[in-house]
Amino acid sequence: MSGNTLGSLFSVTTFGESHGPAIGCVIDGCPPGLALLESDIQFELDRRRPGTSRHVTQRQEPDTVEILSGLYQGLTTGTPIALLIRNLDQRSKDYGNLQDTFRPGHADYTYQHKYGLRDPRGGGRSSARLTAPVVGAAAIAKKWLKQQYGTEIRGYMRQLGEIALPFEGWQHVNGNPFFAASGDPALLARLEQAMDALRKSGDSIGARIDVVAESVPVGLGNPIYDRLDAEIAHAMMGINAVKGVEIGDGFAVVSQRGSEHGDELTPHGFASNHAGGILGGISTGQAISVSLAIKPTSSILTARHSINLAGEPVDVATRGRHDPCVGIRATPIAEAMLAIVLINAALHQRAQCGDVAGGTLPDIARAASGTPITPITQ
Amino acid sequence: MSGNTLGSLFSVTTFGESHGPAIGCVIDGCPPGLALLESDIQFELDRRRPGTSRHVTQRQEPDTVEILSGLYQGLTTGTPIALLIRNLDQRSKDYGNLQDTFRPGHADYTYQHKYGLRDPRGGGRSSARLTAPVVGAAAIAKKWLKQQYGTEIRGYMRQLGEIALPFEGWQHVNGNPFFAASGDPALLARLEQAMDALRKSGDSIGARIDVVAESVPVGLGNPIYDRLDAEIAHAMMGINAVKGVEIGDGFAVVSQRGSEHGDELTPHGFASNHAGGILGGISTGQAISVSLAIKPTSSILTARHSINLAGEPVDVATRGRHDPCVGIRATPIAEAMLAIVLINAALHQRAQCGDVAGGTLPDIARAASGTPITPITQ
Amino acid sequence: MSGNTLGSLFSVTTFGESHGPAIGCVIDGCPPGLALLESDIQFELDRRRPGTSRHVTQRQEPDTVEILSGLYQGLTTGTPIALLIRNLDQRSKDYGNLQDTFRPGHADYTYQHKYGLRDPRGGGRSSARLTAPVVGAAAIAKKWLKQQYGTEIRGYMRQLGEIALPFEGWQHVNGNPFFAASGDPALLARLEQAMDALRKSGDSIGARIDVVAESVPVGLGNPIYDRLDAEIAHAMMGINAVKGVEIGDGFAVVSQRGSEHGDELTPHGFASNHAGGILGGISTGQAISVSLAIKPTSSILTARHSINLAGEPVDVATRGRHDPCVGIRATPIAEAMLAIVLINAALHQRAQCGDVAGGTLPDIARAASGTPITPITQ
Amino acid sequence: MSGNTLGSLFSVTTFGESHGPAIGCVIDGCPPGLALLESDIQFELDRRRPGTSRHVTQRQEPDTVEILSGLYQGLTTGTPIALLIRNLDQRSKDYGNLQDTFRPGHADYTYQHKYGLRDPRGGGRSSARLTAPVVGAAAIAKKWLKQQYGTEIRGYMRQLGEIALPFEGWQHVNGNPFFAASGDPALLARLEQAMDALRKSGDSIGARIDVVAESVPVGLGNPIYDRLDAEIAHAMMGINAVKGVEIGDGFAVVSQRGSEHGDELTPHGFASNHAGGILGGISTGQAISVSLAIKPTSSILTARHSINLAGEPVDVATRGRHDPCVGIRATPIAEAMLAIVLINAALHQRAQCGDVAGGTLPDIARAASGTPITPITQ
């Protein structure tokens, strides 16, 4: 495949540019018989949508999805599902001055060299706007995983710039514009102030996002190369601006001892989850935990040194509408990527090991921490 | 593909288990006309080979490679190249007690649940021994990249447990058993002592490895999903025991400002390389830098709590021969994975953009930091 | 991939059903910098469009294409190109009676068993209407192949039922509703009469289509499995209703001698082309010739025995609008499939053998019959 | 993938050349828990082996297979299975004169142009010898299909040159050197005489092979592109020397009426099988029937006109050991290709539609002609 497809069995191929007529995707391989409404998809799109607070880009896009195929009488038919989202609020003239220059930290330079030309309007295909179709596709994956295995995929912001955000409970995440897992008014006020100050300074900031999948069946993934953790790393590093990915304890393992890191097993389940739910490339049935580093937005008002197409020095300050912290809207995107990796792994497991006793049957989502492990009788 | 293949154009499919008759791989898609000797491959295999110091597993394997196909009169023919390495020093009886139990932190548990059975001898396919074939395949990729673009791919150990290892120069890396980029006798003595103490304690330790590719052409990679950084993350997380991957500044970006992170351009090249050589999923021509977190070996002499196949509590202490720090031999493996990702990206770039002026021609490996950028004329 | 994608480097993923809101496709991997207008695509769609004569389905569809992405200032950008065609003339009530019954010779039965449900309106995804997006995508492939190598891909109807249609010249093909390569008024009148009689009888008929690609570079394809002829056979048998595929002399080879079949070479080129332009799975540079057998339409007015969903015997006669000979509109479809196979093979050849002297450079489309072969100096 | 892999879920990647050290393959994705002996594989290899009668090549190769991986205690483990077959009877000097010339009808010319060099010894990778590994891999696929669904895949020679061979029963096929489904001594004597005369004349001849799969579950395949018939056509045209493929009635459909071709359904099953077991790209549960045209061997003793590497005219007569009719040994190869297509389709069906009632459960191989169709209740 030529790069714009995610997943080999539940395959999502996206298309579109920030300022073209539309964006969307085709989902091939969806299991048939799944009840699906446009509102199932719209719900997730609305979580990612721009313009919902003053801390994100002010571009006004309803991101209304149209399902073009693959449904009959409210059920998936097993044929490709196409999703279409029209672009409505382009202001391409804002980008006129970028035609000839390269923003520091931006894909302008690499697109120009790779393709010999580029669509500079709103960043073209490198725009974070292109994460919308995959969020739409993942709404279907999430619904199927939930029905089959009770799988729950949720994320939250763990750090914004230098401000660490404690995890206090999933119920808080959709109650604030930052996807913080905290209901602490003081903390939220601090975030608001930090973002307001940042915006005024014409600069941008990074963030760290955590995503967790619970009730994942044991046995998903492969021993080598297309390991479950490798597929997750691929998906997460496939999100714009991500520069680091961790599974479980992540970089903390560098200074751990084996006697500290290896999760002991008891008749009542794993005693800990340093592994982040994956051992040897295959899911353990425990919660899968992933953490991402997201770099600061490269389009900023602060003038910076660069060159133009002729190689001459220029200063670039980006007008237009941009997220001062792309990490703020990254939580639903990271959830989406994890959902698509998991449905692919689940379908692959059905293919190869569908008749292994205790294979991918719904009732084997049992090895989650604290849940008794059924004795294995061969 | 079913998981055991790396790369879609230069495709490496590996096979084998730790204690089976042989391990090896088939490389499909190698460009024809490349001069290749078995010694080119043996050189890299010897760097990764066990038994070369007291700090790694004492299994004695010469890892002698046989090229079974794809060569004629010393040149690659463009047809598949098969590499065969016989296993010679199995001691399967050491693993008899593992048949029925799950080592904490090990793939025993997940293999058993995924497949309904497993080969417990030496860890079967989950053994680090299975990294040998990909190191062999990558020797070919490295040679081709070097000839085409002058690309140089090198790695070193950056941290062993809590001991940070400064980068003092590539010339030191092959001069000590740790792949340390340092010639400081005091530091090397400290590493020896730390490893000796660790071995006596019957425990294991983690490590951090850095890999750098220089003289990479600009333009390799894709905007979305199969981005160059995503492919690198996939490959690196596909190595046994890796729990974290960073590109460029990695997790440090979380607290960076855009005005600090975005690498400025000058007529003489990029002024810095926070990006680690990749912007928007596509190579910039600067050095690509990757960092990996490797967990401590799960097979340790220290007894730990676990369960057996019947779900009953047992204590497990692993005898047999194991690396107390799998990170020590990880450097050539990480280099190998990066080489295979880069040759795939280079071949893909030739396919799609082979006639873009300034596409992947050898002379465009020019944007490396400090090298003048040729003006682009469209 | 999950079945609905054609090609691995120039990848066409289609979506849509006969009576859904729209049909279309996403093309991933198109080389950048190709000048492309909607009219380039519309031209080919119009050749395949229904309702253009009384001998084809009377469904009125303008099949107007909208390009949603992948273009900037009239040039392809290298990012995915999405094509959208709205369905405008659905009459779903015509298909009410098909909800519960299986047409003999139709996909009704297999879809129902595979997916557990199906969209019966107009045949859902099994409709010949779904060939439109690939014809649109192939317009791009044709244009690129023409520009790069001068490749010309043309087809014609060679037999309609029992009436053989001689090849008299390409100039005739677009001048009659049958894609006959003949300007003989008597023959065309005979075809009109045969079709009129067939329509009145409420029955349908098969056809044979030939497709030829000229000025194809030597060297496209692979030795085993993904041979150029195998890829062509896959593509052609992927068209609805095709039951047989031949390359070159096809089934006539069964009774040929080697001394008769093997095409001799002379300093002025090949002396014949029994091979149909492919030897050992790789193009020779001669014209590639393919022949297809297309079965009679399964939806006919003649009542036939079948069963319903409950397994009870029923009689089925299909109303609605159907082509009495699906072969009539198959010529542009077969051309499209061949074009997509060839662009994929050309891009793959650039990837693996891009620097072989005499590889895929435009000037090597030289081995066509009658053209002097340049001496090969190694 | 780069061409030498067949199948995306049960993936067979082959390697080797006619006169290299060894040939073989890696099978990735085999379901775990299948009992497998080397003798299961050797049985099929022996059917295809050269030197078994005077009518095939006299090269003496025992084709003894060694399983290098993927088995533990006689069961497949789900990890890659590597098969190795050493080449023992090379006589490379026979091919010295072919280094510089191109045999008419042979891949010599295209390999040379594609890769810029070639291994001329015994045809290198274009040798029919390279069908051995896929026959070995298919032995595993056949065994699994038989156990899961009772699937039986068998082929026979239907025509040798101008001699048609009637189908009289499967029991005859392994009882004569031609894979004829006839026990008629007069016919077999006629074949012997024809082959003896052909050999003396220094020429070669074509053949037609039929392959049939019975007890195939309904529902295998996809609507578009990766249709079951398209995958079969791809596999069959991927065999050396195949120039035509038919499914069911094949080219006879050209002159059929819809009322004649479409197979009627009754409560007791399909009334006929013109479709060859596939409708709309998906299996019906009836027998799948495929027919192949195999061209005459291109390596013949009869001198023919050609050119050398310098483009000068030369005459070529091929010494060495060659099958005068490659079709004679093609039957087990065609069976092998069909088996690999079917196991892939079966695994894909489990992945996407594993929970469709009546999906791919063993008991649904019920729609075979003459078997009562279970009423479908949704």
Side-chain angles (χ1 to χ4, degrees), chain B residues 63-107:
Chain B
D63 281 353
T64 306
V65 70
E66 185 185 6
I67 302 177
L68 296 178
S69 63
L71 281 192
Y72 181 63
Q73 297 180 337
L75 298 176
T76 60
T77 60
T79 59
I81 301 169
L83 305 183
L84 184 71
I85 300 167
R86 292 276 172 185
N87 288 326
L88 299 178
D89 186 25
Q90 303 100 320
R91 288 195 206 153
S92 300
K93 65 179 158 45
D94 290 352
Y95 299 89
N97 67 320
L98 294 177
Q99 177 87 42
D100 297 331
T101 58
F102 305 123
R103 279 165 284 182
H106 198 276

Coordinates of all heavy atoms in Angstrom, one line a residue, chain B residues 63-107:
Chain B
D63 N 27.1 -18.9 14.5 CA 26.2 -18.1 13.6 C 26.7 -17.9 12.2 O 26.7 -16.8 11.6 CB 25.9 -16.7 14.2 CG 24.8 -16.8 15.3 OD1 24.2 -17.9 15.5 OD2 24.6 -15.8 16.0
T64 N 27.2 -19.0 11.7 CA 27.8 -19.0 10.3 C 26.6 -19.0 9.3 O 25.7 -19.8 9.4 CB 28.6 -20.2 10.1 OG1 29.6 -20.3 11.1 CG2 29.3 -20.1 8.7
V65 N 26.6 -18.0 8.4 CA 25.5 -17.8 7.5 C 25.8 -18.5 6.2 O 27.0 -18.6 5.7 CB 25.2 -16.3 7.3 CG1 26.4 -15.7 6.5 CG2 23.9 -16.1 6.5
E66 N 24.8 -19.2 5.6 CA 24.9 -19.7 4.3 C 23.9 -19.0 3.4 O 22.7 -18.8 3.8 CB 24.5 -21.2 4.3 CG 24.7 -21.9 2.9 CD 24.3 -23.4 3.0 OE1 23.7 -23.9 4.0 OE2 24.5 -24.1 1.9
I67 N 24.3 -18.5 2.3 CA 23.4 -17.8 1.3 C 22.9 -18.9 0.4 O 23.6 -19.5 -0.4 CB 24.1 -16.7 0.5 CG1 24.7 -15.6 1.5 CG2 23.1 -16.1 -0.5 CD1 25.4 -14.5 0.8
L68 N 21.6 -19.1 0.4 CA 21.0 -20.2 -0.4 C 20.5 -19.9 -1.8 O 20.3 -20.7 -2.6 CB 19.8 -20.9 0.4 CG 20.1 -21.5 1.7 CD1 18.9 -22.0 2.3 CD2 21.1 -22.7 1.5
S69 N 20.4 -18.6 -2.0 CA 19.7 -18.2 -3.3 C 19.9 -16.7 -3.6 O 20.4 -15.9 -2.7 CB 18.2 -18.5 -3.3 OG 17.6 -17.7 -2.3
G70 N 19.6 -16.3 -4.8 CA 19.6 -14.9 -5.1 C 20.9 -14.2 -5.5 O 20.9 -13.0 -5.8
L71 N 21.9 -15.0 -5.6 CA 23.3 -14.5 -6.0 C 23.7 -15.3 -7.3 O 23.5 -16.5 -7.4 CB 24.3 -14.8 -4.9 CG 24.4 -13.9 -3.8 CD1 25.7 -14.1 -3.0 CD2 24.3 -12.4 -4.2
Y72 N 24.4 -14.6 -8.2 CA 25.1 -15.2 -9.3 C 26.4 -14.5 -9.6 O 26.3 -13.3 -9.8 CB 24.2 -15.2 -10.5 CG 24.8 -15.9 -11.7 CD1 25.1 -17.3 -11.7 CD2 25.1 -15.2 -12.9 CE1 25.6 -18.0 -12.7 CE2 25.6 -15.9 -14.0 CZ 25.9 -17.2 -13.9 OH 26.5 -17.9 -15.0
Q73 N 27.4 -15.3 -9.5 CA 28.8 -14.7 -9.8 C 29.0 -13.4 -8.9 O 29.5 -12.4 -9.3 CB 28.9 -14.3 -11.3 CG 28.9 -15.6 -12.1 CD 29.0 -15.3 -13.6 OE1 28.8 -14.2 -14.1 NE2 29.4 -16.4 -14.4
G74 N 28.6 -13.6 -7.6 CA 28.9 -12.5 -6.6 C 28.0 -11.3 -6.7 O 28.2 -10.3 -6.0
L75 N 26.9 -11.3 -7.6 CA 26.0 -10.2 -7.6 C 24.6 -10.6 -7.3 O 24.2 -11.8 -7.6 CB 26.0 -9.6 -9.1 CG 27.3 -9.1 -9.6 CD1 27.1 -8.6 -11.1 CD2 27.8 -7.9 -8.8
T76 N 23.9 -9.8 -6.6 CA 22.4 -10.1 -6.4 C 21.7 -10.1 -7.8 O 22.0 -9.3 -8.6 CB 21.8 -9.0 -5.5 OG1 21.9 -7.7 -6.1 CG2 22.4 -9.0 -4.1
T77 N 20.8 -11.0 -7.9 CA 20.1 -11.2 -9.2 C 18.7 -10.5 -9.2 O 18.0 -10.5 -10.2 CB 19.9 -12.7 -9.5 OG1 19.1 -13.3 -8.5 CG2 21.2 -13.4 -9.7
G78 N 18.2 -10.0 -8.0 CA 16.9 -9.5 -8.0 C 15.8 -10.5 -7.5 O 14.7 -10.1 -7.2
T79 N 16.2 -11.7 -7.4 CA 15.3 -12.8 -6.9 C 15.6 -13.0 -5.4 O 16.6 -12.5 -4.9 CB 15.5 -14.1 -7.7 OG1 16.9 -14.5 -7.6 CG2 15.2 -13.9 -9.2
P80 N 14.7 -13.7 -4.7 CA 14.8 -13.8 -3.3 C 16.2 -14.3 -2.8 O 16.7 -15.3 -3.4 CB 13.7 -14.7 -2.9 CG 12.7 -14.6 -4.0 CD 13.5 -14.4 -5.2
I81 N 16.7 -13.7 -1.7 CA 17.9 -14.1 -1.1 C 17.6 -14.8 0.2 O 16.9 -14.2 1.1 CB 18.8 -12.9 -0.8 CG1 19.1 -12.1 -2.1 CG2 20.1 -13.3 -0.1 CD1 19.8 -10.8 -1.9
A82 N 17.9 -16.1 0.3 CA 17.6 -16.8 1.5 C 18.9 -17.0 2.3 O 19.9 -17.4 1.8 CB 17.0 -18.2 1.2
L83 N 18.8 -16.7 3.6 CA 19.9 -16.9 4.6 C 19.6 -18.0 5.5 O 18.5 -18.0 6.1 CB 20.2 -15.6 5.3 CG 20.4 -14.3 4.5 CD1 20.7 -13.1 5.5 CD2 21.5 -14.4 3.5
L84 N 20.6 -18.9 5.8 CA 20.4 -20.0 6.7 C 21.5 -20.0 7.8 O 22.7 -19.9 7.4 CB 20.4 -21.3 5.9 CG 20.1 -22.6 6.7 CD1 18.6 -22.6 7.1 CD2 20.5 -23.8 5.9
I85 N 21.1 -20.1 9.0 CA 22.0 -20.2 10.1 C 21.6 -21.4 11.0 O 20.4 -21.4 11.5 CB 21.9 -18.9 11.0 CG1 22.3 -17.7 10.2 CG2 22.8 -19.1 12.3 CD1 21.9 -16.4 10.9
R86 N 22.4 -22.4 11.1 CA 22.1 -23.6 11.8 C 22.2 -23.3 13.3 O 23.2 -22.6 13.8 CB 23.0 -24.8 11.4 CG 22.8 -25.3 10.0 CD 21.6 -26.3 10.0 NE 21.3 -26.7 8.6 CZ 20.3 -27.5 8.3 NH1 19.5 -28.0 9.3 NH2 20.0 -27.8 7.1
N87 N 21.3 -23.8 14.1 CA 21.5 -23.8 15.6 C 22.4 -25.0 16.0 O 22.1 -26.1 15.6 CB 20.1 -24.0 16.3 CG 19.2 -22.8 16.1 OD1 19.7 -21.6 16.1 ND2 17.9 -23.0 16.0
L88 N 23.4 -24.7 16.8 CA 24.4 -25.7 17.1 C 24.5 -26.0 18.6 O 24.8 -27.1 19.0 CB 25.7 -25.4 16.6 CG 25.8 -25.2 15.0 CD1 27.2 -24.7 14.6 CD2 25.4 -26.5 14.3
D89 N 24.1 -25.1 19.4 CA 24.4 -25.3 20.9 C 23.1 -25.2 21.7 O 23.0 -24.4 22.6 CB 25.4 -24.2 21.3 CG 25.8 -24.4 22.7 OD1 25.8 -25.5 23.2 OD2 26.2 -23.4 23.4
Q90 N 22.1 -26.0 21.3 CA 20.9 -26.1 22.1 C 21.2 -27.0 23.3 O 21.9 -27.9 23.3 CB 19.8 -26.8 21.3 CG 19.4 -26.1 20.0 CD 20.0 -26.8 18.8 OE1 21.2 -27.2 18.9 NE2 19.3 -26.9 17.7
R91 N 20.6 -26.6 24.4 CA 20.5 -27.4 25.6 C 19.1 -27.5 26.1 O 18.8 -26.8 27.2 CB 21.4 -26.9 26.7 CG 22.9 -27.0 26.4 CD 23.7 -26.8 27.7 NE 25.1 -26.3 27.3 CZ 25.8 -25.5 28.1 NH1 25.3 -25.2 29.3 NH2 27.0 -25.1 27.7
S92 N 18.3 -28.2 25.4 CA 16.8 -28.0 25.6 C 16.4 -28.6 27.0 O 15.4 -28.1 27.6 CB 16.1 -28.8 24.5 OG 16.4 -28.2 23.3
K93 N 17.2 -29.4 27.6 CA 16.8 -30.0 28.9 C 16.8 -28.9 30.0 O 16.1 -29.0 31.0 CB 17.7 -31.1 29.3 CG 19.2 -30.7 29.6 CD 20.0 -31.9 30.0 CE 21.5 -31.7 29.7 NZ 22.0 -30.4 30.1
D94 N 17.6 -27.8 29.8 CA 17.5 -26.7 30.7 C 16.1 -26.1 30.9 O 15.8 -25.4 31.8 CB 18.4 -25.6 30.3 CG 19.9 -26.0 30.4 OD1 20.2 -27.0 31.0 OD2 20.8 -25.2 30.0
Y95 N 15.3 -26.4 29.9 CA 14.0 -25.7 29.8 C 12.8 -26.6 30.2 O 11.7 -26.2 30.1 CB 13.8 -25.0 28.5 CG 14.8 -24.0 28.2 CD1 16.0 -24.4 27.5 CD2 14.7 -22.7 28.6 CE1 17.0 -23.5 27.3 CE2 15.7 -21.8 28.4 CZ 16.9 -22.2 27.7 OH 17.9 -21.3 27.5
G96 N 13.2 -27.8 30.6 CA 12.1 -28.8 30.9 C 11.1 -28.2 32.0 O 9.9 -28.4 31.8
N97 N 11.6 -27.5 32.9 CA 10.7 -27.0 34.0 C 9.8 -25.9 33.5 O 8.9 -25.5 34.2 CB 11.5 -26.6 35.2 CG 12.3 -25.4 35.0 OD1 12.9 -25.3 33.9 ND2 12.4 -24.5 35.9
L98 N 10.1 -25.3 32.4 CA 9.3 -24.2 31.9 C 8.1 -24.6 31.1 O 7.3 -23.8 30.8 CB 10.2 -23.2 31.1 CG 11.3 -22.6 31.8 CD1 12.2 -21.7 30.9 CD2 10.7 -21.7 33.0
Q99 N 8.1 -25.9 30.8 CA 7.0 -26.4 30.0 C 5.6 -26.0 30.6 O 4.7 -25.7 29.9 CB 7.1 -27.9 29.9 CG 6.0 -28.7 29.2 CD 6.3 -28.7 27.7 OE1 7.4 -29.0 27.2 NE2 5.3 -28.5 26.9
D100 N 5.6 -26.1 31.9 CA 4.3 -26.0 32.6 C 4.1 -24.6 33.3 O 3.1 -24.4 33.9 CB 4.1 -27.1 33.6 CG 4.1 -28.5 32.9 OD1 3.7 -28.5 31.8 OD2 4.5 -29.4 33.6
T101 N 5.1 -23.8 33.3 CA 5.0 -22.5 34.1 C 5.2 -21.3 33.2 O 5.8 -21.4 32.1 CB 6.0 -22.5 35.2 OG1 7.3 -22.6 34.7 CG2 5.7 -23.7 36.2
F102 N 4.8 -20.2 33.7 CA 5.0 -18.9 33.0 C 6.0 -18.0 33.7 O 5.7 -17.6 34.9 CB 3.6 -18.2 32.9 CG 2.5 -19.0 32.4 CD1 1.4 -19.3 33.1 CD2 2.6 -19.6 31.1 CE1 0.3 -20.1 32.5 CE2 1.6 -20.3 30.5 CZ 0.5 -20.6 31.2
R103 N 7.1 -17.7 33.1 CA 8.0 -16.7 33.7 C 7.4 -15.3 33.8 O 6.9 -14.8 32.7 CB 9.3 -16.7 32.9 CG 10.3 -17.8 33.1 CD 11.3 -17.9 32.0 NE 10.7 -18.5 30.8 CZ 11.4 -18.7 29.7 NH1 12.7 -18.4 29.6 NH2 10.8 -19.2 28.7
P104 N 7.4 -14.7 34.9 CA 6.9 -13.3 35.0 C 7.7 -12.4 34.0 O 8.9 -12.5 33.9 CB 7.3 -12.9 36.5 CG 7.2 -14.2 37.2 CD 7.8 -15.2 36.3
G105 N 6.9 -11.6 33.3 CA 7.6 -10.7 32.3 C 7.9 -11.3 31.0 O 8.4 -10.7 30.1
H106 N 7.6 -12.6 30.8 CA 8.0 -13.3 29.6 C 6.8 -13.6 28.7 O 5.6 -13.5 29.2 CB 8.6 -14.7 30.1 CG 9.5 -15.3 29.0 ND1 8.9 -16.1 28.0 CD2 10.8 -15.2 28.7 CE1 9.9 -16.5 27.1 NE2 11.0 -15.9 27.5
A107 N 7.1 -14.0 27.5 CA 6.0 -14.3 26.5 C 5.3 -15.6 26.7 O 4.4 -16.0 26.0 CB 6.5 -14.2 25.1

